[in-house]
Amino acid sequence: MKKILITFGTRPEAIKMLPLFQEFNKYPDLFQTKICVTAQHREMLDQVLDFFEVQPDFDLNLMKPGQNLHSLTANIILSLKTVLEEFKPDYMFVHGDTTTSMAAALAGFYSGVKICHVEAGLRTFNIHSPFPEEMNRQITARIATYHFAPTENSKRNLIKENINESTISVTGNTVIDALLHSVEKVKHINNSEILNLKELINLNKKIILVTGHRRENHGEGFIQICQALKTIAERHHEVEIIYPVHLNPNVQKPVYEMLSHMDNIKLINPLSYPSFVWLMNQSYLILTDSGGIQEEAPSLGKPVLVLREVTERPEAVEQGTVILVGTNYESIVKKTNLLLSNNHYYKRMTRIQNPYGDGNACSRIIEFILKN
Ligand code: UD1
Ligand code: UDP
């Protein structure tokens, strides 16, 4: 019996790791699997745990309002020590590039556990963008025993860093497993949040869905994004902008100050995962700096303008369903105008084709673990 500890702390990690937990649970004779949440996010994490109907075995409950990276990192390492001593896992799974991923990997390494890194090998090779995520993922790769790369491109990035090829498995991204699960499950549940959204939103208009949270966009980046959204809303009365605002105070403050008075901009709280997937499906266009949304949207045939200067997810950009626009006011307004006015250009971006996965990433990860 192999003992598995799955550790995560933020909303996107929960979305991408809970399908893996469910897959491990299909084999109770082979694996004893437990979940530890750092709760780097509290409300946004709990929304996902509720949807997947999962109760963590260990909850470190570490989120503080306006937390800083230094204390969060230190607290994760110290709190995890106790969990590792109690459960004594053989393998610890961490995800991606958050402070939880990096600090948990280090804590696991100190305790002699094999670290398995899911969504390994994404790179911009610029340690300041995304900050601090690029450094978090490079450190996690150094520490990890096994690397689950979503694409061949991410595998190549790892090989360039001299990671032994036999420790890498290309699996696709588990976010597509989560997306397909959500699309299916939402058919069978009565979701009051979706009913409320139907009341709030004028679905006869073209819906532009917006999200944003990246640290390197805090300050000037968010000001330019909000100015651009204001201009788009003023010029295009056929459009309604829906923006579920991330709970980070550095995001909440500028967004509510600059946009709450606009008639055709609706600022709302973060949505639970199935409601957000429903809203993506209703959208004409998505503007975001999110990593996960860049990966999900190509499965739904929704064009994405990425509000960042660089991306570690070049595959959908190369395929033509995602465009990198940055945070510059002029370029956001110009590209959005083009997509709203030129149907031929718009249609070219709506192909349903996903380079990030096919919904079977979790079973590939387990197949690999059974052999190692
Ligand atoms: C974190 C991750 C980022 C990831 C993002 C996903 C790091 C450094 N950053 O960024 O990689 O892409 O999550 O969303 O790991 N807050 C709440 N309730 C919540 C969540 C956040 O109130 O449920 C507020 C708190 O004041 C918290 C602050 O947001 O201190 C910032 O949270 P934090 O996890 O440090 O950073 P994010 O910007 O969310
Ligand atoms: N998401 C959600 N509710 C929202 C906004 C986003 O469930 O209100 C989901 C989205 O579908 C994606 C993930 O959260 O799977 C992205 O999270 P985020 O943008 O916070 O982080 P990132 O992907 O950039 O790390």
Side-chain angles (χ1 to χ4, degrees):
M1 169 88 76
K2 292 179 170 179
K3 283 166 84 174
I4 311 284
L5 184 66
I6 300 183
T7 304
F8 53 86
T10 64
R11 168 175 67 192
E13 292 169 275
I15 292 170
K16 292 169 167 180
M17 290 296 245
L18 285 170
L20 182 61
F21 175 65
Q22 290 178 328
E23 193 67 25
F24 270 118
N25 276 343
K26 289 184 186 164
Y27 307 96
D29 299 339
L30 300 176
F31 302 109
Q32 183 189 10
T33 311
K34 293 199 178 198
I35 287 198
C36 174
V37 297
T38 63
Q40 174 176 338
H41 286 173
R42 186 70 275 171
E43 296 86 348
M44 287 158 61
L45 171 73
D46 291 346
Q47 280 182 321
V48 189
L49 291 168
D50 288 348
F51 171 61
F52 280 87
E53 299 175 76
V54 168
Q55 284 274 6
D57 300 280
F58 306 96
D59 188 335
L60 307 181
N61 198 23
L62 293 176
M63 194 192 87
K64 301 252 171 29
Q67 62 205 359
N68 63 69
L69 298 174
H70 309 69
S71 60
L72 179 62
T73 304
N75 290 338
I76 292 169
I77 295 174
L78 282 175
S79 310
L80 260 174
K81 179 171 177 283
T82 320
V83 174
L84 291 162
E85 282 169 357
E86 185 184 324
F87 182 47
K88 298 189 176 53
D90 303 301
Y91 301 80
M92 178 156 89
F93 278 75
V94 299
H95 184 276
D97 53 22
T98 67
T99 295
T100 289
S101 330
M102 182 273 293
L106 191 54
F109 173 71
Y110 287 157
S111 298
V113 181
K114 286 181 185 161
I115 304 299
C116 304
H117 189 200
V118 179
E119 200 183 86
L122 278 67
R123 293 289 183 275
T124 61
F125 298 104
N126 174 354
I127 57 167
H128 301 293
S129 187
F131 175 87
E133 289 83 359
E134 177 70 12
M135 185 52 88
N136 284 342
R137 52 170 88 114
Q138 290 195 20
I139 294 172
T140 308
R142 270 292 124 234
I143 296 170
T145 314
Y146 300 122
H147 311 260
F148 298 102
T151 65
E152 289 294 337
N153 182 59
S154 35
K155 176 178 174 178
R156 277 193 295 275
N157 288 337
L158 291 167
I159 289 174
K160 268 190 230 158
E161 291 174 4
N162 294 325
I163 304 279
N164 185 331
E165 193 171 352
S166 68
T167 63
I168 307 171
S169 171
V170 177
T171 58
N173 198 308
T174 58
V175 79
I176 308 303
D177 301 33
L179 181 71
L180 300 184
H181 169 80
S182 168
V183 168
E184 202 41 48
K185 192 169 167 193
V186 86
K187 285 183 194 159
H188 309 291
I189 54 172
N190 208 353
N191 186 326
S192 58
E193 205 176 31
I194 294 179
L195 293 177
N196 291 340
L197 284 172
K198 284 182 183 165
E199 294 278 312
L200 176 81
I201 301 170
N202 183 350
L203 290 171
N204 296 319
K205 292 197 174 188
K206 285 181 175 167
I207 305 297
I208 299 184
L209 175 59
V210 181
T211 80
H213 66 84
R214 302 240 79 89
R215 269 179 164 71
E216 64 275 13
N217 287 349
H218 292 176
E220 184 54 26
F222 267 101
I223 291 171
Q224 295 221 26
I225 291 168
C226 290
Q227 277 164 346
L229 294 175
K230 208 162 156 246
T231 301
I232 293 161
E234 281 163 357
R235 286 191 195 157
H236 294 277
H237 294 281
E238 79 281 17
V239 151
E240 193 154 277
I241 296 178
I242 317 293
Y243 187 164
V245 188
H246 194 287
L247 295 180
N248 191 326
N250 296 310
V251 178
Q252 291 259 321
K253 192 166 181 288
V255 171
Y256 276 93
E257 274 176 13
M258 292 178 71
L259 300 178
S260 55
H261 62 286
M262 300 288 300
D263 278 347
N264 56 342
I265 301 185
K266 303 264 161 61
L267 303 179
I268 58 176
N269 281 329
L271 291 168
S272 70
Y273 188 53
S275 308
F276 189 77
V277 171
W278 177 85
L279 188 53
M280 279 198 284
N281 252 323
Q282 307 307 312
S283 304
Y284 180 81
L285 169 66
I286 302 173
L287 269 59
T288 188
D289 66 13
S290 158
I293 296 169
Q294 286 177 64
E295 292 156 347
E296 291 161 338
S299 280
L300 306 173
K302 302 296 173 182
V304 177
L305 298 183
V306 177
L307 305 168
R308 292 175 56 191
E309 307 304 328
V310 288
T311 180
E312 55 291 276
R313 294 166 171 87
E315 295 86 350
V317 178
E318 282 156 18
Q319 159 186 292
T321 53
V322 166
I323 296 176
L324 211 54
V325 281
T327 54
N328 175 272
Y329 167 85
E330 295 287 348
S331 47
I332 299 170
V333 172
K334 210 166 138 198
K335 270 287 184 262
T336 305
N337 282 343
L338 183 63
L339 279 159
L340 287 170
S341 57
N342 183 331
N343 203 37
H344 176 65
Y345 188 82
Y346 177 79
K347 280 273 174 271
R348 279 201 334 225
M349 287 187 72
T350 58
R351 244 171 312 134
I352 298 185
Q353 189 184 334
N354 200 317
Y356 299 112
D358 60 3
N360 296 311
C362 296
S363 56
R364 291 191 190 101
I365 291 172
I366 289 180
E367 231 173 85
F368 182 93
I369 290 295
L370 281 171
K371 291 188 210 138
N372 288 279

